[in-house]
Amino acid sequence: MFTLIPFYSQLIRKSRTRKMPLKLAVAVFLVALLVVNTVAESPYRFYEFNVTYGTISPLGVKQKGILINGQFPGPDIYSVTNDNVIINVFNYLDEPFLISWNGIQNRRNSFQDGVWGTTCPIPPGKNFTYVLQVKDQIGSFYYFPSTAFHKAAGGFGGFRILSRPGIPVPFPEPAGDFTVLIGDWYKSNHTYLKSILDRNHKLPFVDGILINGQGRNGASFTVEQGKTYRLRICNVGLEHSLNFRIQDHKMTLVEVEGTHTMQEIYSSLDVHVGQCYSVLFTADQAPKDYYIVASNRFSSILIDTTAVLHYSNSNQQVSGFPPGGPTIEIGWSLNQARSIRTNLSASGPRPNPQGSYHYGMINTTRTIRLANSAGQVNGKQRYAVNSVSFVPTDTPLKLVDYFKIGGFTVGNIPDAPPGGGIHLDTSVLQTDYRTFIEIVFENKEGIMQSWHLNGYAFWVVGMDGGKWTPASRNQYNLRDAVSRSTTQVYPKSWTAIYIALDNVGLWNLRSEFWARQYLGQQLYMNVYTESTSLRDVYPIPINALLCGKVAGRHKRPL
């Protein structure tokens, strides 16, 4: 019979050796009581994040950045399938702060999701302990700050989930495994950028691109000639799709946001905002240094940045111009996206083939068409989904429901674009638990879109230019479409996904273009069997923060 006593004793030992404060040890033990029935046999990993402001200058100009444990970007989180990851976040900023976990599914527990609809921000000078279980997941992900436009100041880092020992991985273990965080960047502080949006102006064009928080030739990766390495590449930027390439080296794609893929070889790879890819490359060239390049896509203004691939026996530094890549070619990128497919013979987080779930043989019970749009509301710039521009309540939706104080309506966003102008509302899409649905993202605008759904991975079954119709299903990939949590939608195009709604809770569906997300291009998906309930399987955490209209209230049983 399982007992938490050894776990509690371990926490106390950590507190006595000053690896963990005693108050934190007790708090973590109490939180663990919430999940004992499902996570009893899974290991625990402990992290402490101290969130501070610090001076950074990745593009040569000093600015205020958000550091995690004094680092920009923050430290990687390492875990193994089914681990319980305990992250105690101390907020030393002068404003509330909230971290979300891009791609981590938080099974049946959206209270831990770290977005405004589910979780109160951590007040200045306070802390909050996240209790995550990476249940039945593998792969490459990242964390980031989700409120107050903090994402433009840093506070992000890699989050990797390794396969359990004994579960076969469809490639030999590489000699090294590197996190590569790429993204567009502004020289201005996040507070100034936020004020631009608040004053009804669009953000200017970005100032540059970063690789692991550094500008041109700032980051470097040392390899040994003849060995093979893994890169976990995530686009943590604010808006731009980026093309990633390594001078004179080919890349073999092996994993996309938790799915092992067919091992196609690419000379460059488009990584859209919010997406993560794992590639292998072999250091099989002459012993010198090579450029690693990230450049923007689909823009008349071209920018790039470089890092250095350093052979340990190098006799020559990088010189000359970095290799060019694709620029505005949509068809090239679309064809590449279609070439990314699931490796049906590979094991996922469990010792059974990933393809054993035959999604293409299941009838969908509902089709939801979601169209993005831009416009003015009361003289201010807004962005919308199906004509609804999301307005956050002063209290997270899950707490509004928990304390039964009202203030929003479930199911107040239509299943198809209604046409007409944009209006403001707190949009919550009602869906039924354990159903299998189709969502079509329709993009009638002339810019790229990128969409992310918390709590889920979905099958990207089709994408194409023009208008989606029921006949578009004839071109769907119903056999080996890639399963992921973030998908792109090309200009004046559509993308279709299939989702098995097996994760009860309230989940954020959003644009990964952060100015658009901030100004309303998002909604929440309520996955439950009762249209009035937003509750998870797990109750509200013992250490839950209370804010807004429920600040100061006592928590009570559901």
Side-chain angles (χ1 to χ4, degrees), residues 149 157 191:
F149 223 67
T191 50

Side-chain angles (χ1 to χ4, degrees), residues 122 187 258 279 298 377 432 463 521 538:
I122 306 168
K187 296 178 181 177
V279 301
F298 318 118
V377 179
D432 294 324
M463 57 178 63
Q521 193 174 317
Y538 292 126

Side-chain angles (χ1 to χ4, degrees), residues 427-445:
S427 39
V428 179
L429 181 69
Q430 173 60 32
T431 58
D432 294 324
Y433 181 48
R434 290 182 177 170
T435 57
F436 192 74
I437 69 171
E438 172 187 43
I439 294 180
V440 181
F441 297 105
E442 299 180 349
N443 179 19
K444 298 179 181 178
E445 299 183 72

Side-chain angles (χ1 to χ4, degrees), residues 135-269:
K135 179 69 173 173
D136 291 336
Q137 285 192 267
I138 59 167
S140 307
F141 310 97
Y142 66 93
Y143 60 86
F144 71 99
S146 62
T147 57
F149 223 67
H150 285 143
K151 191 180 183 186
F156 45 73
F159 195 135
R160 66 180 65 178
I161 309 174
L162 305 177
S163 296
R164 288 178 291 171
I167 305 299
V169 175
F171 49 86
E173 184 174 356
D177 191 334
F178 301 105
T179 294
V180 185
L181 303 179
I182 60 177
D184 50 15
W185 191 258
Y186 288 93
K187 296 178 181 177
S188 302
N189 291 338
H190 74 282
T191 50
Y192 174 71
L193 298 174
K194 180 175 175 293
S195 72
I196 292 176
L197 296 173
D198 292 340
R199 295 196 311 268
N200 190 32
H201 296 290
K202 294 182 179 180
L203 294 180
F205 196 80
V206 296
D207 295 307
I209 299 171
L210 304 185
I211 298 177
N212 282 357
Q214 300 186 62
R216 192 170 299 276
N217 290 347
S220 64
F221 304 86
T222 299
V223 297
E224 294 184 30
Q225 193 172 26
K227 294 187 177 181
T228 298
Y229 295 84
R230 181 175 185 171
L231 302 180
R232 300 174 186 262
I233 310 158
C234 295
N235 185 338
V236 298
L238 300 173
E239 179 177 349
H240 287 275
S241 299
L242 300 178
N243 181 266
F244 183 89
R245 52 198 181 272
I246 307 173
Q247 183 181 21
D248 295 342
H249 292 72
K250 299 292 186 181
M251 299 178 292
T252 301
L253 184 65
V254 294
E255 178 255 331
V256 172
E257 295 162 26
T259 299
H260 288 131
T261 63
M262 297 296 291
Q263 296 182 14
E264 303 288 348
I265 298 174
Y266 300 96
S267 57
S268 70
L269 190 64

Side-chain angles (χ1 to χ4, degrees), residues 90-134:
F90 290 85
N91 178 17
Y92 293 107
L93 308 184
D94 56 4
E95 55 185 329
F97 181 80
L98 191 58
I99 287 184
S100 189
W101 322 95
N102 216 67
I104 305 304
Q105 293 179 13
N106 293 312
R107 304 293 300 178
R108 301 179 296 170
N109 194 11
S110 58
F111 276 116
Q112 304 288 344
D113 215 28
V115 289
W116 175 257
T118 64
T119 315
C120 289
I122 306 168
K126 303 295 183 180
N127 74 295
F128 178 74
T129 302
Y130 290 90
V131 179
L132 314 176
Q133 189 188 22
V134 290

